[in-house]
Amino acid sequence: VQLQAYGGGLVQAGGFLRLSCAASGSIFSVNDMGWYRQAPGKQRELVARVTSGGSTQYSDSVKGRFTISRDNGKNAVYLQMNSLKPEDTAVYYCNAGVVSIWSTQADYWGQGTQVTVSS
């Protein structure tokens, strides 16, 4: 199973970006999917998560600005980031809980995509 994330880049404060991440491989089903981020010198933190049923959770720092969504048919998760701030600068990682076709369950991470917000 692999997670491929893309969509990061450089944007000015107040701008927007959309991150995408798709899971591929021997997948039976995907449970929770989410986005985390890690800024230099800081620990990785949760940005947003979405369950297979569509329930969402956001960190306080992004509520009202970011929107997470998923496409179960594509095993994909998206993060629409609006009103970006310099403090949103980080490497963003997608995460998914996957049940394989062999009934094993594991957490998988994407490779990370850099988001840089200039002031």
Side-chain angles (χ1 to χ4, degrees), residues 28-116:
F28 176 75
S29 65
V30 180
N31 298 324
D32 291 5
M33 303 185 80
W35 290 94
Y36 291 71
R37 67 186 181 187
Q38 187 167 18
K42 295 187 176 182
Q43 290 187 332
R44 191 173 297 189
E45 63 174 1
L46 172 69
V47 177
R49 292 191 65 82
V50 57
T51 69
S52 56
S55 297
T56 58
Q57 174 189 0
Y58 295 92
S59 69
D60 288 342
S61 62
V62 307
K63 278 181 183 176
R65 300 188 297 121
F66 292 9
T67 302
I68 190 169
S69 61
R70 65 187 285 170
D71 184 333
N72 290 333
K74 297 180 179 179
N75 292 326
V77 63
Y78 310 98
L79 187 68
Q80 178 67 42
M81 304 185 294
N82 298 329
S83 303
L84 282 161
K85 304 176 180 180
E87 51 264 43
D88 295 318
T89 296
V91 177
Y92 284 68
Y93 298 90
C94 60
N95 169 268
V98 176
V99 179
S100 75
I101 59 174
W102 300 285
S103 299
T104 58
Q105 299 188 45
D107 240 24
Y108 292 89
W109 292 89
Q111 81 283 12
T113 183
Q114 176 71 46
V115 171
T116 303

